[in-house]
Amino acid sequence: MKTPHRPVPVVSRRNFLGRLSLGAAALALAPRWRAAESAPAKKLGVVLVGLGKYSTGQLGPALKVTKNCRLVGVVTGSRDKGMAWAKEHGFPETNIYDYDTMPRMADNPDIDVVYVVTPNGLHARHAIAAAKAGKHVISEKPMANTVAECDTMLAACRAAKVKLSVGYRLHFDPYHQTMMRLATDPACGPFLKMQGDRAFQLAAGAWRADKKLAGGGPMMDLGIYLIQGACMAYYGFPKLGGGLEAAPVAVTAKELPKTKPQQFGAGVEEGINFSLEFANGAVCQAHTAYVQPSADTFRAEGGKGWIEFKEHAFTYRGMVVETNRGPLHFDPPVNQQALQMDDFAQCVREGRESRVPGEMGRRDLVIIEAVYEAARTGRRVAVKV
Ligand code: NDP
């Protein structure tokens, strides 16, 4: 039988020698590589600041399954809560701090990352305290109440040579990653028409309706998800540097009439409709409110395809997602918070930039401030990130 003809790879002498020397170098390094591979890297130590609902319900449990980091302490106004967390997570009582003793974290080599989970209006103060103690920082969303506060956080982290990231967990969620992939798939995107709705009934007395602590109303807390969704659907996976290229170019907005003026005072909207206009003509129409009915939906439509988050579009579990190619289903569901924190820990280890850095948090505050200006003036406002 005739042997089938196989093309012979062309290797010049120079290439051949180059390969040879590379091969020798690789051989010389091999034992060290193997040692690095076999020794599991030390988990980075994380401290949670503020032991409220999100820390207790999501981040604490996630830190029990993270691979690259673990909980080593807390900052809390309640010593009792701190003691209970120390017992449950197995860290020493000396790693319980309060908001005034945060500077002492500088002396604690167990702590690598400080995760700020306090009300929005306190993020800047706590992030800056962490940076000054020489710790890398994750801030929950929204990054702060204002762009000016974001700038102070970025400056403090730059000065301390530490990294700053925002708790944008959906960048690690496979449904949202699929939307980003489809956005740049010519068989589906670009998505030109987007629509989102995020609302729930806010309990009376919550800090989320306090201008100083929340920075505003549902736009700060929930509308920010619609901004994130629209930027993902418009651009796909953002470039490094905070995804500035994914920002809308202009916004319009209308605040909705208040039905509960006693709960939602000056500077705190009860609901708002806004639209985001992108450079390619894509538009996102969005609604967010702190009243019933609850909503958590997002749809992005292109000339050839679409994706629709019918339920739990921006929450942790239970997403119901359909596309023009059929339903999407990822099983088992991922732990978004664990993936997000593990990625940040890996960024710190490798000295690389987070895909959700402080610059992205600042970008979203620029957009939010433009939305508020548009609602106040009734004008179309240009977005300058
Ligand atoms: P909670 O009100 O449940 O918890 C906030 C915690 O902050 C409190 O329990 C308290 O902790 C501490 N705190 C310090 N100062 C104050 C103060 N003046 N008033 C109230 N609390 C104070 O809020 P959440 O956990 O729901 O939200 C915290 C942050 O996390 C917010 O920025 C929010 O936007 C964000 N978040 C993000 C989510 C996401 O999916 N990425 C989901 C939910 C929230 P202690 O008693 O320990 O001092």
Side-chain angles (χ1 to χ4, degrees), residues 51 53-54 76-77 81 99 120 140-141 169 207-208:
L51 305 178
K53 234 171 138 196
Y54 191 52
T76 175
K81 272 197 220 173
Y99 300 102
N120 313 342
E140 253 318 314
K141 48 60 57 178
R169 57 186 163 74
W207 63 259
R208 282 176 166 80

Side-chain angles (χ1 to χ4, degrees), residues 43-49 51 55 59-66 68-75 82 85-86 88-92 95 110-111 113 115 341:
K43 287 187 174 188
L44 299 194
V46 176
V47 158
L48 290 179
V49 185
L51 305 178
S55 286
L59 298 174
L63 281 159
K64 290 183 177 170
V65 298
T66 40
N68 301 332
C69 53
R70 67 193 174 104
L71 188 67
V72 295
V74 291
V75 178
W85 278 68
E88 184 181 340
H89 290 266
F91 57 79
N95 286 4
D110 289 349
I111 305 171
V113 174
Y115 196 150
M341 288 187 278

Side-chain angles (χ1 to χ4, degrees), residues 24 80 83 100 114 131 207 218 225 237 242 248-249 251 254 272 323 351 357-358:
D80 287 348
M83 296 287 276
D100 296 327
V114 171
W207 63 259
Y225 287 106
F237 289 93
V249 289
V251 303
K254 193 169 186 336
I272 192 164
T323 73

